[in-house]
Each structure stands twice: as C-alpha cells, then as structure tokens.
C-alpha cells in the first residue's frame, strides 16, 4: 500500500489521467525508492536481518543485512556522485545476477539517476542499441559472469559496444570484479 511507504512530501491526487495515454501517479508526492528499501529499516531490528540472500553458481553464498547493504549502496552512490552523476543523468546497468547489480540499481535510485537494466545475456549489439537509445553517460558492468557454468565476458561486450565512438554519450565505465 502506498501509505506504508515513506513520503518526503504527501501526494494530493493518486491518479491524474487528464492526458491519455500519459498517467501521473501520486501527484505532488515525493519519495525515494532507495530510502524505502533501506534507510527506513536502519532504526529497527531489521537493520541486522538479511536484506539479500544470494546463491550463485559453484555453491557461492552471500548474505547482506540491511545495514551492510545500506553501507555498500551509499559507498557506490558516493562514487557515482564523484563522477558528477545525479538527477537527470543516465546509466546502463549490464551485470550478472550478483548483489552488486542490486547495489548499483539502489545507488542510482538514491541519486535520482535514470537507469536501464540490460540483461547480461544480451549481445554487444543489443547493448549498444540500448546505450544509444538512453544516451547513457555511464555503463555499470562486471568483468564477467557465470551462466549455466559458462563464463559470459560482460566487459568485453561493453568494449565492443563502445568501439569506434558509436556511443559518444558514455563518459565512464564502472566494472565490478566478479571472476
């Protein structure tokens, strides 16, 4: 229920449908997804409970509490800020299914950076098309990922996507070390 979320400014109208097909939801309201996912739990007993329970291939396991996840999200958000990113900026997240993908998404949401999550199995050509469409300024990726026991070389696909200056909007590539 929307009332259960934290709102920095309350909404005045749930739905404005005066200009179809463009709907405006929670008109006048102001919230932050990252705050609602993390910050509001830090003052409760949940801060030490699992926020992410991740199981990867090769029997890997990681558990991040709300407090640990919050710290990692803030750290990554600060790195994005140092690159000059904030509201109005755009990012592509091209990562395997690892906790760092959620961290990247929450950090972008925390700062108001518009982001598009691109499936890590997509080709370099498909990635290039999405970068160009969004006019992304940053690509957040991983060196590689595992899928059904096979290594997927994500950074290599990013390099192919950016080769020849066909994505001039991209100023930064951030790489998580996975393999």
């Amino acid at each position: 229920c929307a009332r259960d979320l934290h709102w920095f400014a309350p909404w005045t109208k749930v739905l404005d449908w005066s200009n179809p097909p463009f709907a405006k939801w929670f008109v006048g309201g102001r919230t932050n997804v990252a705050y609602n996912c993390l910050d509001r739990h830090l003052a409760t007993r949940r801060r030490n409970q699992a926020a992410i329970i991740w199981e990867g291939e090769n029997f890997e396991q990681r558990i991040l509490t709300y407090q640990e996840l919050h710290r990692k999200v803030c750290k990554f958000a600060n790195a994005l800020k140092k690159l000059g990113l904030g509201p109005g900026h755009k990012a592509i997240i091209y990562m395997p299914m690892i906790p760092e993908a959620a961290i990247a998404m929450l950090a972008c949401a925390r700062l108001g950076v518009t982001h598009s999550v691109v499936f890590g199995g997509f080709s370099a050509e498909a990635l290039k098309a999405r970068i160009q469409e969004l006019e992304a300024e940053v690509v957040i990726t991983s060196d590689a990922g595992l899928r059904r026991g096979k290594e997927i070389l994500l950074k290599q696909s990013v390099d192919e996507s950016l080769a020849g200056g066909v994505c001039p909007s991209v100023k930064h590539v951030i790489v998580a070390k996975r393999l």
Side-chain angles (χ1 to χ4, degrees):
C1 177
R3 291 190 206 317
D4 294 336
L5 297 175
H6 175 81
W7 292 86
F8 294 100
W11 70 85
T12 55
K13 188 175 183 181
V14 173
L15 173 62
D16 177 356
W17 193 247
S18 60
N19 187 20
F22 303 102
K24 292 182 182 177
W25 290 93
F26 303 104
V27 179
R30 210 179 73 146
T31 189
N32 184 286
V33 173
Y35 184 93
N36 277 289
C37 287
L38 299 173
D39 300 59
R40 72 186 193 139
H41 301 296
L42 296 179
T44 72
R45 62 181 173 78
R46 266 199 199 112
R47 77 179 161 277
N48 294 317
Q49 292 179 347
I52 291 180
I53 301 172
W54 177 79
E55 292 188 21
E57 295 192 32
N58 301 334
F59 306 102
E60 300 167 278
Q61 281 190 331
R62 285 176 56 197
I63 297 172
L64 296 174
T65 65
Y66 282 94
Q67 194 165 357
E68 291 167 327
L69 182 58
H70 178 264
R71 185 176 43 78
K72 289 178 182 294
V73 168
C74 288
K75 186 175 180 179
F76 191 62
N78 284 332
L80 294 175
K81 257 199 231 181
K82 280 188 176 182
L83 295 176
L85 299 171
H89 293 267
K90 301 167 190 167
I92 290 286
I93 300 172
Y94 180 64
M95 300 185 83
M97 296 295 288
I98 56 176
E100 287 74 14
I103 291 165
M105 289 178 235
L106 287 165
C108 286
R110 181 174 208 81
L111 296 178
V113 173
T114 301
H115 57 284
S116 177
V117 180
V118 178
F119 172 58
F122 279 8
S123 69
E125 277 300 308
L127 175 61
K128 177 172 65 176
R130 284 154 180 82
I131 292 169
Q132 291 171 334
E133 179 68 27
L134 184 63
E135 296 179 347
E137 297 160 68
V138 65
V139 177
I140 303 165
T141 191
S142 175
D143 57 351
L146 291 175
R147 184 151 181 89
R148 296 184 185 140
K150 289 177 65 179
E151 278 189 20
I152 309 296
L153 302 176
L154 297 168
K155 175 60 166 71
Q156 182 178 316
S157 291
V158 170
D159 291 344
E160 288 174 34
S161 298
L162 302 178
V166 295
C167 298
S169 62
V170 176
K171 306 290 186 257
H172 306 283
V173 176
I174 300 171
V175 183
K177 291 181 182 176
R178 169 77 177 105
L179 301 178

